Amino acid sequence: ALGIARKAFSIALWVRAETRAGVFLTVSNPSTCLLALALQQDSNRLVAYFPNSTADGKAVRVIGPEMPLNNWVHVALTW
């Protein structure tokens, strides 16, 4: 139901933060990006970015905890 208004969804994955930051998961449909998960460059924090996710088309960014380097961490996200 990701990308459909007023529908809940969950994503669960394992992440291993190493020395490089950047986007590691993008979910999209043919017309737009729906979700991007990334690690911030300066702090290695987990970031979830939802473009056009509010009723008026604004983006939502959720900044999570700093990820430990070289360790597997289970990440779960529910909307």
Side-chain angles (χ1 to χ4, degrees):
L2 185 60
I4 300 172
R6 297 181 186 92
K7 295 288 184 175
F9 68 89
S10 295
I11 294 175
L13 62 148
W14 286 91
V15 176
R16 185 173 187 245
E18 295 182 355
T19 57
R20 288 192 239 175
V23 174
F24 59 84
L25 175 71
T26 301
V27 179
S28 63
N29 64 26
S31 60
T32 189
C33 175
L34 303 169
L35 164 68
L37 290 178
L39 295 175
Q40 283 183 332
Q41 184 93 11
D42 57 343
S43 66
N44 218 35
R45 288 188 179 279
L46 183 66
V47 177
Y49 178 71
F50 302 91
N52 303 313
S53 60
T54 64
D56 60 355
K58 293 185 180 176
V60 173
R61 185 180 339 163
V62 179
I63 300 175
E66 189 167 336
M67 302 294 285
L69 288 177
N70 300 315
N71 288 302
W72 286 100
V73 177
H74 187 256
V75 175
L77 173 74
T78 299
W79 182 265

